[in-house]
Amino acid sequence: MGYTDQRFNVNLSILYTELPLLERPAAAAAAGFTAVELWWPWIETPTPDQAELDALKKAIEDAGVQLTGLNFYAGQLPGPDRGAVSVPGEESDRFRANLKVAADFAQSLGCKALNALYGNRVEGVDPAEQDKLALENLVLAAKEADRIGAILLIETLNKPESPLYPLVSAPAGIEVVDKVNEATGLGNAKFLMDLYHLAMNDEDLPQIIDAYAAKTGHVQIADKPGRGAPGTGELPLEELLDQLKKAGYEGYVGLEYKAPDAAASFGWLPAGARAAR
């Protein structure tokens, strides 16, 4: 067990940001990784030119890495936004415009997981109205994911860093997962268990793993405090991942931590254990 027994992927939207986007897949491959994930890379637009999509696809294919996760359009992320699903008006429209584009791109690379960030509470808008809109949009997203044989991920964030985001506990995220599955009958909505965010909320991580491993479609990690690489903080990440595996989780573990020099940050994981098995 331990780190060498996991399937890791590198989040290219938070690691290797010192490099241009199109150079990051090859950098991850050079470090020994064979799987990568991305936030929606075009924060200005839900519908980039086909040439931009093709260039990123080629960079991923040329590097010989597998894209295992992709966010739908999520507004200014990184930045002040935390998704568009529940944000009325233009942002909701942008999310809907992005659904087919993101799903088609994921399908072109064999990516089977799409993440839809819920979005912040908007001042002056009834939270119940936002939740109604969110469910409508997540149903559309689940159907789009199902079209390409993928799962839809629902992620909880943490209140200290995302005070306006309503899903800041594992139960809150699971409740949305259940509502989407009930509404679609597809069963392809899953929980994105980010151990860093849950720890920042002071949640009981072993208890959450026991309770929700079966509904979890993806896991992400960073150490706490600081959101750095494993071993830079206080979280027993190796033990927690072992517990997840024992609970039946067999998916990828996304490395979604911050490091000024990504290549130098992987010392905690032996080079021979970086290729996803």
PDB file of all heavy atoms in Angstrom, residues 13-40:
ATOM      1  N   SER A  13      -3.462  22.589 -14.563  1.00  0.00           N
ATOM      2  CA  SER A  13      -3.935  23.961 -14.371  1.00  0.00           C
ATOM      3  C   SER A  13      -3.399  24.583 -13.091  1.00  0.00           C
ATOM      4  O   SER A  13      -3.532  25.789 -12.889  1.00  0.00           O
ATOM      5  CB  SER A  13      -5.465  23.996 -14.356  1.00  0.00           C
ATOM      6  OG  SER A  13      -5.985  23.530 -15.578  1.00  0.00           O
ATOM      7  N   ILE A  14      -2.801  23.753 -12.220  1.00  0.00           N
ATOM      8  CA  ILE A  14      -2.232  24.284 -10.977  1.00  0.00           C
ATOM      9  C   ILE A  14      -0.742  23.940 -10.871  1.00  0.00           C
ATOM     10  O   ILE A  14       0.027  24.680 -10.281  1.00  0.00           O
ATOM     11  CB  ILE A  14      -3.032  23.783  -9.758  1.00  0.00           C
ATOM     12  CG1 ILE A  14      -2.646  24.543  -8.480  1.00  0.00           C
ATOM     13  CG2 ILE A  14      -2.884  22.279  -9.555  1.00  0.00           C
ATOM     14  CD1 ILE A  14      -3.603  24.290  -7.309  1.00  0.00           C
ATOM     15  N   LEU A  15      -0.320  22.834 -11.507  1.00  0.00           N
ATOM     16  CA  LEU A  15       1.097  22.484 -11.592  1.00  0.00           C
ATOM     17  C   LEU A  15       1.621  22.797 -13.002  1.00  0.00           C
ATOM     18  O   LEU A  15       0.877  22.720 -13.978  1.00  0.00           O
ATOM     19  CB  LEU A  15       1.301  21.003 -11.275  1.00  0.00           C
ATOM     20  CG  LEU A  15       1.218  20.639  -9.789  1.00  0.00           C
ATOM     21  CD1 LEU A  15       1.093  19.135  -9.598  1.00  0.00           C
ATOM     22  CD2 LEU A  15       2.438  21.172  -9.035  1.00  0.00           C
ATOM     23  N   TYR A  16       2.878  23.128 -13.071  1.00  0.00           N
ATOM     24  CA  TYR A  16       3.538  23.525 -14.327  1.00  0.00           C
ATOM     25  C   TYR A  16       2.997  24.836 -14.893  1.00  0.00           C
ATOM     26  O   TYR A  16       3.124  25.105 -16.090  1.00  0.00           O
ATOM     27  CB  TYR A  16       3.434  22.416 -15.387  1.00  0.00           C
ATOM     28  CG  TYR A  16       4.268  21.203 -15.079  1.00  0.00           C
ATOM     29  CD1 TYR A  16       3.676  19.994 -14.750  1.00  0.00           C
ATOM     30  CD2 TYR A  16       5.663  21.256 -15.113  1.00  0.00           C
ATOM     31  CE1 TYR A  16       4.436  18.872 -14.457  1.00  0.00           C
ATOM     32  CE2 TYR A  16       6.433  20.137 -14.822  1.00  0.00           C
ATOM     33  CZ  TYR A  16       5.815  18.954 -14.496  1.00  0.00           C
ATOM     34  OH  TYR A  16       6.572  17.848 -14.200  1.00  0.00           O
ATOM     35  N   THR A  17       2.394  25.665 -14.039  1.00  0.00           N
ATOM     36  CA  THR A  17       1.879  26.952 -14.550  1.00  0.00           C
ATOM     37  C   THR A  17       3.015  27.902 -14.924  1.00  0.00           C
ATOM     38  O   THR A  17       2.769  28.936 -15.539  1.00  0.00           O
ATOM     39  CB  THR A  17       0.959  27.627 -13.519  1.00  0.00           C
ATOM     40  OG1 THR A  17       1.631  27.684 -12.257  1.00  0.00           O
ATOM     41  CG2 THR A  17      -0.335  26.846 -13.365  1.00  0.00           C
ATOM     42  N   GLU A  18       4.260  27.527 -14.571  1.00  0.00           N
ATOM     43  CA  GLU A  18       5.405  28.324 -15.016  1.00  0.00           C
ATOM     44  C   GLU A  18       5.666  28.127 -16.511  1.00  0.00           C
ATOM     45  O   GLU A  18       6.434  28.886 -17.114  1.00  0.00           O
ATOM     46  CB  GLU A  18       6.667  27.981 -14.199  1.00  0.00           C
ATOM     47  CG  GLU A  18       7.183  26.552 -14.344  1.00  0.00           C
ATOM     48  CD  GLU A  18       6.545  25.540 -13.388  1.00  0.00           C
ATOM     49  OE1 GLU A  18       5.457  25.813 -12.845  1.00  0.00           O
ATOM     50  OE2 GLU A  18       7.156  24.471 -13.195  1.00  0.00           O
ATOM     51  N   LEU A  19       5.014  27.125 -17.106  1.00  0.00           N
ATOM     52  CA  LEU A  19       5.164  26.844 -18.538  1.00  0.00           C
ATOM     53  C   LEU A  19       3.897  27.231 -19.296  1.00  0.00           C
ATOM     54  O   LEU A  19       2.802  27.208 -18.737  1.00  0.00           O
ATOM     55  CB  LEU A  19       5.406  25.348 -18.763  1.00  0.00           C
ATOM     56  CG  LEU A  19       6.650  24.722 -18.140  1.00  0.00           C
ATOM     57  CD1 LEU A  19       6.631  23.214 -18.360  1.00  0.00           C
ATOM     58  CD2 LEU A  19       7.907  25.338 -18.747  1.00  0.00           C
ATOM     59  N   PRO A  20       4.026  27.537 -20.606  1.00  0.00           N
ATOM     60  CA  PRO A  20       2.829  27.720 -21.428  1.00  0.00           C
ATOM     61  C   PRO A  20       1.992  26.436 -21.432  1.00  0.00           C
ATOM     62  O   PRO A  20       2.543  25.329 -21.322  1.00  0.00           O
ATOM     63  CB  PRO A  20       3.385  28.008 -22.828  1.00  0.00           C
ATOM     64  CG  PRO A  20       4.810  28.419 -22.623  1.00  0.00           C
ATOM     65  CD  PRO A  20       5.263  27.728 -21.375  1.00  0.00           C
ATOM     66  N   LEU A  21       0.678  26.582 -21.564  1.00  0.00           N
ATOM     67  CA  LEU A  21      -0.240  25.443 -21.482  1.00  0.00           C
ATOM     68  C   LEU A  21       0.186  24.284 -22.381  1.00  0.00           C
ATOM     69  O   LEU A  21       0.190  23.124 -21.953  1.00  0.00           O
ATOM     70  CB  LEU A  21      -1.660  25.897 -21.852  1.00  0.00           C
ATOM     71  CG  LEU A  21      -2.726  24.803 -21.909  1.00  0.00           C
ATOM     72  CD1 LEU A  21      -2.955  24.188 -20.533  1.00  0.00           C
ATOM     73  CD2 LEU A  21      -4.039  25.359 -22.466  1.00  0.00           C
ATOM     74  N   LEU A  22       0.565  24.596 -23.623  1.00  0.00           N
ATOM     75  CA  LEU A  22       0.846  23.530 -24.585  1.00  0.00           C
ATOM     76  C   LEU A  22       2.144  22.774 -24.279  1.00  0.00           C
ATOM     77  O   LEU A  22       2.378  21.704 -24.843  1.00  0.00           O
ATOM     78  CB  LEU A  22       0.893  24.094 -26.009  1.00  0.00           C
ATOM     79  CG  LEU A  22      -0.428  24.699 -26.519  1.00  0.00           C
ATOM     80  CD1 LEU A  22      -0.284  25.157 -27.963  1.00  0.00           C
ATOM     81  CD2 LEU A  22      -1.586  23.719 -26.381  1.00  0.00           C
ATOM     82  N   GLU A  23       2.968  23.310 -23.377  1.00  0.00           N
ATOM     83  CA  GLU A  23       4.213  22.615 -23.002  1.00  0.00           C
ATOM     84  C   GLU A  23       4.041  21.748 -21.760  1.00  0.00           C
ATOM     85  O   GLU A  23       4.921  20.941 -21.422  1.00  0.00           O
ATOM     86  CB  GLU A  23       5.330  23.639 -22.763  1.00  0.00           C
ATOM     87  CG  GLU A  23       5.776  24.358 -24.032  1.00  0.00           C
ATOM     88  CD  GLU A  23       6.825  25.430 -23.749  1.00  0.00           C
ATOM     89  OE1 GLU A  23       7.511  25.344 -22.706  1.00  0.00           O
ATOM     90  OE2 GLU A  23       6.938  26.356 -24.577  1.00  0.00           O
ATOM     91  N   ARG A  24       2.918  21.899 -21.074  1.00  0.00           N
ATOM     92  CA  ARG A  24       2.748  21.203 -19.789  1.00  0.00           C
ATOM     93  C   ARG A  24       2.561  19.692 -19.932  1.00  0.00           C
ATOM     94  O   ARG A  24       3.109  18.940 -19.112  1.00  0.00           O
ATOM     95  CB  ARG A  24       1.589  21.831 -19.009  1.00  0.00           C
ATOM     96  CG  ARG A  24       1.859  23.273 -18.606  1.00  0.00           C
ATOM     97  CD  ARG A  24       0.668  23.885 -17.897  1.00  0.00           C
ATOM     98  NE  ARG A  24       0.684  25.339 -17.996  1.00  0.00           N
ATOM     99  CZ  ARG A  24      -0.303  26.133 -17.632  1.00  0.00           C
ATOM    100  NH1 ARG A  24      -1.415  25.611 -17.124  1.00  0.00           N
ATOM    101  NH2 ARG A  24      -0.207  27.436 -17.765  1.00  0.00           N
ATOM    102  N   PRO A  25       1.800  19.191 -20.912  1.00  0.00           N
ATOM    103  CA  PRO A  25       1.668  17.739 -21.009  1.00  0.00           C
ATOM    104  C   PRO A  25       3.014  17.030 -21.164  1.00  0.00           C
ATOM    105  O   PRO A  25       3.261  16.005 -20.509  1.00  0.00           O
ATOM    106  CB  PRO A  25       0.780  17.547 -22.242  1.00  0.00           C
ATOM    107  CG  PRO A  25      -0.025  18.805 -22.329  1.00  0.00           C
ATOM    108  CD  PRO A  25       0.920  19.878 -21.901  1.00  0.00           C
ATOM    109  N   ALA A  26       3.895  17.578 -21.995  1.00  0.00           N
ATOM    110  CA  ALA A  26       5.210  16.956 -22.196  1.00  0.00           C
ATOM    111  C   ALA A  26       6.053  17.030 -20.928  1.00  0.00           C
ATOM    112  O   ALA A  26       6.820  16.108 -20.621  1.00  0.00           O
ATOM    113  CB  ALA A  26       5.944  17.636 -23.355  1.00  0.00           C
ATOM    114  N   ALA A  27       5.893  18.113 -20.153  1.00  0.00           N
ATOM    115  CA  ALA A  27       6.649  18.239 -18.906  1.00  0.00           C
ATOM    116  C   ALA A  27       6.203  17.176 -17.903  1.00  0.00           C
ATOM    117  O   ALA A  27       7.032  16.575 -17.213  1.00  0.00           O
ATOM    118  CB  ALA A  27       6.463  19.642 -18.320  1.00  0.00           C
ATOM    119  N   ALA A  28       4.893  16.946 -17.825  1.00  0.00           N
ATOM    120  CA  ALA A  28       4.390  15.893 -16.928  1.00  0.00           C
ATOM    121  C   ALA A  28       4.905  14.528 -17.368  1.00  0.00           C
ATOM    122  O   ALA A  28       5.296  13.695 -16.540  1.00  0.00           O
ATOM    123  CB  ALA A  28       2.866  15.910 -16.909  1.00  0.00           C
ATOM    124  N   ALA A  29       4.924  14.303 -18.675  1.00  0.00           N
ATOM    125  CA  ALA A  29       5.434  13.031 -19.195  1.00  0.00           C
ATOM    126  C   ALA A  29       6.922  12.873 -18.877  1.00  0.00           C
ATOM    127  O   ALA A  29       7.382  11.785 -18.514  1.00  0.00           O
ATOM    128  CB  ALA A  29       5.200  12.957 -20.699  1.00  0.00           C
ATOM    129  N   ALA A  30       7.671  13.964 -18.994  1.00  0.00           N
ATOM    130  CA  ALA A  30       9.114  13.909 -18.718  1.00  0.00           C
ATOM    131  C   ALA A  30       9.386  13.559 -17.252  1.00  0.00           C
ATOM    132  O   ALA A  30      10.411  12.953 -16.932  1.00  0.00           O
ATOM    133  CB  ALA A  30       9.764  15.246 -19.071  1.00  0.00           C
ATOM    134  N   ALA A  31       8.452  13.915 -16.367  1.00  0.00           N
ATOM    135  CA  ALA A  31       8.602  13.584 -14.939  1.00  0.00           C
ATOM    136  C   ALA A  31       8.161  12.154 -14.635  1.00  0.00           C
ATOM    137  O   ALA A  31       8.285  11.703 -13.498  1.00  0.00           O
ATOM    138  CB  ALA A  31       7.799  14.564 -14.098  1.00  0.00           C
ATOM    139  N   GLY A  32       7.632  11.444 -15.659  1.00  0.00           N
ATOM    140  CA  GLY A  32       7.262  10.046 -15.478  1.00  0.00           C
ATOM    141  C   GLY A  32       5.774   9.777 -15.353  1.00  0.00           C
ATOM    142  O   GLY A  32       5.353   8.631 -15.187  1.00  0.00           O
ATOM    143  N   PHE A  33       4.950  10.848 -15.438  1.00  0.00           N
ATOM    144  CA  PHE A  33       3.504  10.660 -15.311  1.00  0.00           C
ATOM    145  C   PHE A  33       2.885  10.317 -16.661  1.00  0.00           C
ATOM    146  O   PHE A  33       3.365  10.732 -17.715  1.00  0.00           O
ATOM    147  CB  PHE A  33       2.856  11.931 -14.751  1.00  0.00           C
ATOM    148  CG  PHE A  33       3.216  12.200 -13.320  1.00  0.00           C
ATOM    149  CD1 PHE A  33       4.256  13.077 -13.004  1.00  0.00           C
ATOM    150  CD2 PHE A  33       2.538  11.578 -12.285  1.00  0.00           C
ATOM    151  CE1 PHE A  33       4.607  13.322 -11.681  1.00  0.00           C
ATOM    152  CE2 PHE A  33       2.877  11.815 -10.962  1.00  0.00           C
ATOM    153  CZ  PHE A  33       3.914  12.683 -10.665  1.00  0.00           C
ATOM    154  N   THR A  34       1.805   9.552 -16.620  1.00  0.00           N
ATOM    155  CA  THR A  34       1.129   9.150 -17.860  1.00  0.00           C
ATOM    156  C   THR A  34      -0.316   9.629 -17.919  1.00  0.00           C
ATOM    157  O   THR A  34      -1.023   9.353 -18.875  1.00  0.00           O
ATOM    158  CB  THR A  34       1.134   7.615 -18.003  1.00  0.00           C
ATOM    159  OG1 THR A  34       0.552   7.034 -16.827  1.00  0.00           O
ATOM    160  CG2 THR A  34       2.554   7.090 -18.170  1.00  0.00           C
ATOM    161  N   ALA A  35      -0.772  10.352 -16.878  1.00  0.00           N
ATOM    162  CA  ALA A  35      -2.155  10.832 -16.842  1.00  0.00           C
ATOM    163  C   ALA A  35      -2.175  12.275 -16.347  1.00  0.00           C
ATOM    164  O   ALA A  35      -1.412  12.655 -15.453  1.00  0.00           O
ATOM    165  CB  ALA A  35      -3.014   9.944 -15.941  1.00  0.00           C
ATOM    166  N   VAL A  36      -3.076  13.075 -16.938  1.00  0.00           N
ATOM    167  CA  VAL A  36      -3.192  14.496 -16.577  1.00  0.00           C
ATOM    168  C   VAL A  36      -4.661  14.888 -16.520  1.00  0.00           C
ATOM    169  O   VAL A  36      -5.522  14.215 -17.088  1.00  0.00           O
ATOM    170  CB  VAL A  36      -2.453  15.410 -17.586  1.00  0.00           C
ATOM    171  CG1 VAL A  36      -0.953  15.106 -17.609  1.00  0.00           C
ATOM    172  CG2 VAL A  36      -3.043  15.282 -18.996  1.00  0.00           C
ATOM    173  N   GLU A  37      -4.942  15.983 -15.816  1.00  0.00           N
ATOM    174  CA  GLU A  37      -6.290  16.551 -15.795  1.00  0.00           C
ATOM    175  C   GLU A  37      -6.178  18.063 -15.926  1.00  0.00           C
ATOM    176  O   GLU A  37      -5.093  18.633 -15.734  1.00  0.00           O
ATOM    177  CB  GLU A  37      -7.025  16.156 -14.511  1.00  0.00           C
ATOM    178  CG  GLU A  37      -6.405  16.691 -13.228  1.00  0.00           C
ATOM    179  CD  GLU A  37      -7.154  16.247 -11.964  1.00  0.00           C
ATOM    180  OE1 GLU A  37      -7.846  15.216 -11.995  1.00  0.00           O
ATOM    181  OE2 GLU A  37      -7.019  16.945 -10.939  1.00  0.00           O
ATOM    182  N   LEU A  38      -7.301  18.713 -16.244  1.00  0.00           N
ATOM    183  CA  LEU A  38      -7.299  20.156 -16.506  1.00  0.00           C
ATOM    184  C   LEU A  38      -8.564  20.821 -15.980  1.00  0.00           C
ATOM    185  O   LEU A  38      -9.658  20.254 -16.077  1.00  0.00           O
ATOM    186  CB  LEU A  38      -7.254  20.422 -18.019  1.00  0.00           C
ATOM    187  CG  LEU A  38      -5.934  20.246 -18.766  1.00  0.00           C
ATOM    188  CD1 LEU A  38      -6.203  20.163 -20.259  1.00  0.00           C
ATOM    189  CD2 LEU A  38      -4.996  21.413 -18.464  1.00  0.00           C
ATOM    190  N   TRP A  39      -8.413  22.042 -15.460  1.00  0.00           N
ATOM    191  CA  TRP A  39      -9.559  22.930 -15.364  1.00  0.00           C
ATOM    192  C   TRP A  39      -9.856  23.387 -16.788  1.00  0.00           C
ATOM    193  O   TRP A  39      -9.040  23.190 -17.693  1.00  0.00           O
ATOM    194  CB  TRP A  39      -9.226  24.140 -14.495  1.00  0.00           C
ATOM    195  CG  TRP A  39      -8.817  23.802 -13.086  1.00  0.00           C
ATOM    196  CD1 TRP A  39      -9.029  22.623 -12.421  1.00  0.00           C
ATOM    197  CD2 TRP A  39      -8.122  24.652 -12.173  1.00  0.00           C
ATOM    198  NE1 TRP A  39      -8.511  22.693 -11.152  1.00  0.00           N
ATOM    199  CE2 TRP A  39      -7.947  23.925 -10.968  1.00  0.00           C
ATOM    200  CE3 TRP A  39      -7.627  25.961 -12.240  1.00  0.00           C
ATOM    201  CZ2 TRP A  39      -7.307  24.467  -9.855  1.00  0.00           C
ATOM    202  CZ3 TRP A  39      -6.987  26.492 -11.132  1.00  0.00           C
ATOM    203  CH2 TRP A  39      -6.830  25.760  -9.952  1.00  0.00           C
ATOM    204  N   TRP A  40     -11.028  24.011 -17.010  1.00  0.00           N
ATOM    205  CA  TRP A  40     -11.300  24.542 -18.353  1.00  0.00           C
ATOM    206  C   TRP A  40     -10.213  25.565 -18.674  1.00  0.00           C
ATOM    207  O   TRP A  40     -10.071  26.562 -17.962  1.00  0.00           O
ATOM    208  CB  TRP A  40     -12.695  25.168 -18.411  1.00  0.00           C
ATOM    209  CG  TRP A  40     -13.028  25.664 -19.778  1.00  0.00           C
ATOM    210  CD1 TRP A  40     -13.182  26.964 -20.185  1.00  0.00           C
ATOM    211  CD2 TRP A  40     -13.218  24.861 -20.960  1.00  0.00           C
ATOM    212  NE1 TRP A  40     -13.442  27.020 -21.529  1.00  0.00           N
ATOM    213  CE2 TRP A  40     -13.466  25.738 -22.034  1.00  0.00           C
ATOM    214  CE3 TRP A  40     -13.180  23.481 -21.203  1.00  0.00           C
ATOM    215  CZ2 TRP A  40     -13.697  25.292 -23.332  1.00  0.00           C
ATOM    216  CZ3 TRP A  40     -13.412  23.036 -22.491  1.00  0.00           C
ATOM    217  CH2 TRP A  40     -13.669  23.927 -23.543  1.00  0.00           C
TER     218      TRP A  40
END
